[in-house]
Amino acid sequence: MYIFAENEIRNVTGVNEKALDLIEEGFQKLAKGEVTMPPILRVDIPENNGEVDVKTAYVKGIDKFALKISSGFFNNDAKGLPSLSGMMLLFSTETGFPKAVLQDNGYLTDVRTAVAGAMASKYLAKQNVEIAGIIGTGTQARYQLRALSLVRHVKEVFVYGRRQERVDEYIKDMEKELQVKVTAAESAEQVVRQCDTVITTTPAKEPIIQKEWLHPGLHITAMGSDAEEKNEVHPEVLGAVDVLACDSKNQVFRLGEHHHALENGVIEETSEIVELGELSLGKAQGRKNENEITFCDLTGTGVQDTAIAVYAYDKLIEAEKGLLFTE
């Protein structure tokens, strides 16, 4: 069994076209019924504002599958620590024996989540996205903007966060990295009203985005709601958009923004909702014109984890990295 360190993993994969292709292929296989993906297991640790999720998926034709353990402890910022961490374990689909531990501290999760956001914008955002909006200033707020640049040429970015020092840091870092103008928004409402595409990246438990802020041509990707109590988008928003999309219908009705809209009677389980894999395969249509309002709900899937982990493993072995444990 191999153990791979975070720095080794970072050197072989990142937010790029290859990662986008891998995740898109994973969603295609999910849509074709070639994936076994059980429900997410989650442990909540409320006294420390923390949670630990376990995700996995077997993809037909791949000789390994991932078991991903991901933690989110949202008081860590006050301790000078990242909010997200975790690792991925790889097992043989032939023998069930462990093949590797990828001690990535959540890095591969960041990558696969970001490119899923890019995939959502690829099929649902307007072709000409001039102004993008980011709500949140954490790790995913950065990764989502990097990934968006793979599929759309953004000229300006508006960002909103609760803490001014974090907003200032975000602006400085992303302007330098992406060579794009980033402006601090006065409110989440300003972000939504002024932007063509908006990505929410928070662990909010009370809705941020409101129905009254919507406008023709808007696309929203919500990736923060991955637990029953999380809610970034008011349920009425989902009843007001033209296209509803998600990563997994089974998951979003349990964990995502769709879950809240369903509970509030805004949508039904029989409402027309398209999955990313269906969009990629051409089995469903996303945006039909530049005036439609589109919405995508991302809860994070095990098939993404297996896709990115197997790719990272193969690249690490090719580069002769890692520590091999033998009997």
Side-chain angles (χ1 to χ4, degrees):
M1 182 182 72
Y2 284 93
I3 294 182
F4 299 106
E6 180 183 352
N7 66 315
E8 295 174 321
I9 297 166
R10 284 179 177 271
N11 285 335
V12 299
T13 190
V15 176
N16 51 39
E17 294 285 354
K18 180 60 179 179
L20 179 57
D21 290 344
L22 288 167
I23 297 307
E24 188 156 355
E25 183 180 346
F27 278 122
Q28 289 175 352
K29 293 195 174 191
L30 182 63
K32 290 189 289 187
E34 298 178 4
V35 174
T36 301
M37 191 170 72
I40 298 167
L41 170 67
R42 191 178 79 254
V43 178
D44 291 316
I45 306 169
E47 60 268 31
N48 291 310
N49 196 17
E51 63 188 35
V52 178
D53 294 332
V54 180
K55 299 179 181 181
T56 187
Y58 162 63
V59 182
K60 184 177 179 180
I62 297 181
D63 64 355
K64 293 177 284 294
F65 73 96
L67 182 72
K68 195 272 293 289
I69 305 165
S70 177
S71 67
F73 279 65
F74 299 103
N75 294 339
N76 279 0
D77 183 56
K79 303 174 183 178
L81 297 172
S83 297
L84 306 179
S85 187
M87 67 175 69
M88 294 195 183
L89 312 178
L90 272 181
F91 294 85
S92 165
T93 59
E94 181 180 354
T95 65
F97 285 5
K99 299 290 289 184
V101 176
L102 289 91
Q103 184 57 58
D104 66 319
N105 289 311
Y107 172 71
L108 291 175
T109 297
D110 288 334
V111 171
R112 63 78 149 154
T113 303
V115 294
M119 187 177 170
S121 291
K122 176 180 177 180
Y123 291 102
L124 295 164
K126 295 193 301 184
Q127 285 299 315
N128 184 24
V129 175
E130 293 193 355
I131 307 175
I134 305 290
I135 297 177
T137 56
T139 301
Q140 266 305 303
R142 296 161 186 266
Y143 276 87
Q144 288 289 335
L145 186 55
R146 292 176 185 131
L148 179 61
S149 67
L150 296 175
V151 297
R152 293 294 186 271
H153 180 65
V154 176
K155 297 179 181 177
E156 187 175 0
V157 177
F158 278 83
V159 60
Y160 174 74
R162 294 176 300 170
R163 292 172 52 187
Q164 188 60 49
E165 65 271 20
R166 293 291 300 275
V167 172
D168 292 341
E169 184 181 357
Y170 182 91
I171 292 172
K172 178 182 176 182
D173 292 345
M174 301 314 289
E175 283 191 336
K176 180 179 179 181
E177 179 181 339
L178 299 179
Q179 299 297 301
V180 63
K181 180 182 178 182
V182 184
T183 302
E186 295 180 358
S187 64
E189 180 176 356
Q190 183 187 12
V191 172
V192 177
R193 289 190 182 276
Q194 293 197 239
C195 295
D196 304 307
T197 292
V198 174
I199 305 169
T200 60
T201 68
T202 76
K205 296 182 180 179
E206 295 292 334
I208 299 170
I209 295 182
Q210 305 297 318
K211 174 184 175 181
E212 294 75 22
W213 306 347
L214 304 180
H215 57 84
L218 176 67
H219 169 66
I220 300 170
T221 295
M223 54 73 51
S225 180
D226 56 0
E228 289 88 344
E229 75 280 4
K230 293 183 181 179
N231 187 194
E232 296 183 295
V233 178
H234 195 286
E236 289 184 358
V237 169
L238 278 71
V241 304
D242 298 297
V243 180
L244 286 172
C246 68
D247 49 11
S248 165
K249 292 178 188 177
N250 289 337
Q251 286 190 187
V252 296
F253 277 122
R254 175 188 164 204
L255 305 172
E257 303 293 345
H258 286 73
H259 151 69
H260 299 287
L262 181 66
E263 279 194 347
N264 283 271
V266 177
I267 63 172
E268 300 177 350
E269 289 193 35
T270 55
S271 297
E272 185 177 353
I273 301 160
V274 297
E275 293 185 339
L276 289 179
E278 295 171 329
L279 292 173
S280 179
L281 289 170
K283 292 184 175 180
Q285 189 173 0
R287 176 176 292 276
K288 300 175 185 67
N289 60 64
E290 294 291 272
N291 291 319
E292 283 191 316
I293 303 173
T294 56
F295 174 81
C296 189
D297 194 0
L298 300 180
T299 51
T301 64
V303 69
Q304 293 167 258
D305 296 315
T306 288
I308 199 71
V310 170
Y311 173 73
Y313 174 88
D314 290 343
K315 296 297 290 183
L316 288 159
I317 294 297
E318 181 183 314
E320 299 183 343
K321 301 296 182 180
L323 181 63
L324 178 62
F325 278 78
T326 58
E327 293 184 3

